[in-house]
């Protein structure tokens, strides 16, 4: 029926506002007048993944287009308000808000199919996190990371600032595997006990670890660079290599933030003297923070510390029954092989962790009863993280199924003045900051970027330059509640997403803008 938007889990028909047949759009969008009235139909260039069709069929369709855009932005605003003001947990917000706005958008009973599609798309991620938590939880239980904790403690000594800087360095190094979940599990399990016993706020850990991993996320095997290259038919190395200076500057900024936050924590809590043996023993026995420490500063900020923190802490008791010192080298080799194969991308990551977890359980805990107990020890982390991932699938499914994400992207393209055409590369870099926060990387790189790139080509801007600009917003993207890894990080650290966002978003935005400016200054991104 003319002027009606059909909602389908597989394909959405999206109405479009009238598009001026300027030089920037004439090639991709062609109007054709019908014989009996003044209604027009526009069909946009087909791009892989997201924006497939935009149809303008009259005033009714135009109103529905505006409705989708309005509802999309309102849904994001309501969700962020509930999260930042702590009026709803992420699971509740990610579930009820999209359902309400999806129904307002006219999805009807079709909303079930939309949510099911979203769950299907994120099911591999949920499986990855499930088995990754089990694997690294086992490695912590058997003592693989105990030597690392003692080494870091000797380097940190009595200085909270060194601990925060060490967090940044460790997160950067581990992020070379290209997987945020792995990075956050290793960093949190190794360093969270030290944060708690030194009195340093766990929010500082999530901020620095999150920024380190997010900045490193533009490496060719990290995800966004491959997506941008694939969407535009480019080589990932052509996109990434010229952006190395921007990456270096971004990492220096992360270290600067780490030093600043470390100094602030040092002033807040003063100097504490702790030995590695005391920390490990206290962590295992759940001793009070006064044992073995002498603080000269103020008390901890309980609001930032969160409630249930450190689910991996019990695994660091040096006298625990789960230690397997004779299997230390086997477990180290298994972990190394896992990370190497992960980087080589030989097997899907969820399958890889399923196999590695099974091997670790069978070798370290031969008895069936012990295997069950090993899994149960980390069940709280598994339930919390997987629940948030599946709830995020509701938001993703409704966003895409109703056509909101396509409508919002097309609206943004239409409001860009023709005079700004020569600056589309910089505009793309700026737009990537909010857009990749509110939508998935797939939606942005396979849906929005190709349209922007085709338009930019009319002004002599190369696709590779658009791709470089598009990856600068990853520092902000990785803090999005749609990213399962960040949900894992705040869950393991016992930090609320609201507290994390209050301290990390402006820093992440500054890093993204700086990386874009460096790219422009060095001529890798045209201005």
């Amino acid at each position: 029926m003319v002027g009606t938007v059909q909602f389908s889990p597989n394909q959405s028909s999206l109405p479009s506002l009238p598009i001026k047949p300027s030089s920037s759009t004439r090639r991709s969008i062609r109007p054709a007048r019908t014989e009996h009235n003044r209604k027009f139909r526009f069909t946009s260039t087909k791009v892989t993944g997201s924006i497939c069709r935009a149809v303008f069929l009259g005033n009714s369709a135009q109103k529905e287009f505006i409705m989708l855009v309005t509802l999309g932005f309102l849904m994001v605003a309501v969700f962020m308000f509930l999260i930042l003001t702590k009026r709803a947990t992420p699971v509740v917000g990610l579930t009820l808000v999209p359902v309400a706005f999806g129904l307002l958008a006219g999805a009807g009973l079709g909303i079930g199919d939309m949510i099911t599609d979203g769950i299907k798309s994120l099911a591999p991620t949920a499986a990855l996190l499930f088995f990754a938590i089990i694997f690294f939880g086992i490695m912590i239980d058997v003592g693989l990371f105990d030597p690392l904790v003692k080494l870091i403690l000797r380097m940190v000594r009595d200085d909270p600032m060194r601990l925060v800087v060490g967090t940044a360095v460790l997160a950067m190094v581990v992020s070379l595997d290209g997987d945020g979940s792995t990075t956050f599990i290793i960093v949190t399990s190794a360093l969270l006990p030290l944060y708690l016993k030194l009195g340093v706020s766990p929010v500082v850990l999530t901020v620095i670890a999150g920024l380190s991993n997010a900045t490193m996320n533009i490496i060719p095997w990290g995800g966004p660079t491959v997506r941008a290259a694939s969407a535009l038919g480019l080589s990932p190395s052509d996109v990434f290599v010229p952006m190395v200076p921007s990456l270096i500057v971004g990492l220096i900024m992360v270290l600067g933030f780490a030093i600043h936050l470390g100094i602030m924590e040092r002033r807040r809590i003063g100097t504490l003297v702790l030995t590695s043996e005391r920390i490990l023993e206290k962590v295992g026995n759940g001793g009070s923070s006064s044992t073995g420490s002498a603080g000269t500063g103020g008390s901890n900020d309980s609001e930032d510390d969160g409630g249930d923190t450190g689910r991996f802490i019990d695994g660091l008791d040096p006298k625990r029954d789960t230690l397997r010192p004779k299997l230390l080298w086997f477990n180290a080799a298994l972990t190394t092989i896992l990370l190497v194969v992960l980087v080589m991308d030989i097997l899907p990551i969820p399958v890889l962790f399923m196999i590695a977890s099974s091997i670790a359980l069978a070798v370290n805990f031969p008895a069936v009863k012990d295997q069950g107990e090993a899994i149960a020890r980390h069940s709280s982390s598994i339930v919390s993280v997987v629940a948030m991932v599946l709830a995020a699938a509701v938001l993703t499914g409704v966003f895409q199924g109703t056509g909101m994400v396509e409508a919002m992207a097309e609206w943004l393209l239409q409001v860009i003045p023709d005079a700004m055409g020569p600056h589309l590369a910089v505009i793309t870099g700026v737009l990537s900051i909010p857009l990749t926060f509110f939508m998935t990387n797939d939606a942005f790189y396979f849906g929005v970027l190709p349209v922007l790139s085709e338009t930019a080509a009319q002004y002599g801007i190369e696709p590779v330059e658009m791709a470089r600009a598009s990856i600068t917003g990853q520092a902000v993207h990785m803090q999005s509640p749609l990213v399962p890894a960040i949900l894992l990080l705040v869950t393991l650290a016992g930090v609320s997403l609201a507290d994390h966002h209050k301290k990390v978003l402006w820093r992440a935005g500054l890093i993204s803008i700086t990386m874009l400016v460096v790219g422009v200054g060095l001529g890798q991104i045209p201005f």
Side-chain angles (χ1 to χ4, degrees), residues 60 89 100 116 193 282 308 459:
S60 177
T89 63
T116 300
K282 283 167 53 189
D308 183 14
Y459 298 94

Side-chain angles (χ1 to χ4, degrees), residues 143-163:
L144 179 62
F145 296 107
D146 286 14
L148 176 62
V149 173
K150 294 180 180 179
L151 174 63
I152 293 175
L153 187 57
R154 285 197 295 268
M155 297 174 62
V156 169
R157 297 180 183 175
D158 60 349
D159 191 353
M161 189 195 73
R162 293 186 183 182
L163 175 60

Side-chain angles (χ1 to χ4, degrees), residues 258-272:
I259 293 173
H260 177 252
L261 289 173
I263 291 175
M264 291 178 61
E265 288 297 290
R266 177 200 287 166
R267 292 174 178 173
R268 183 177 67 84
I269 65 179
T271 301
L272 297 94

Side-chain angles (χ1 to χ4, degrees), residues 78-98:
V78 171
F79 169 74
M80 293 303 299
F81 171 78
L82 293 176
I83 295 300
L84 292 178
T85 59
K86 299 183 181 180
R87 296 176 184 271
T89 63
V91 171
V92 173
L94 287 168
T95 303
L96 295 185
V97 173

Side-chain angles (χ1 to χ4, degrees), residues 20-28 418 421 424 454-456 458-459:
K20 295 181 294 183
S22 64
S23 60
S24 63
T25 59
R26 188 180 297 113
R27 191 176 72 170
S28 60
D418 290 340
L424 268 176
E454 183 175 351
T455 304
Q458 307 300 317
Y459 298 94

Side-chain angles (χ1 to χ4, degrees), residues 210-230:
L211 290 176
S212 300
N213 177 258
T215 306
M216 289 289 293
N217 198 44
I218 70 169
I219 56 179
W221 54 90
T225 301
V226 173
R227 286 179 173 88
S230 299

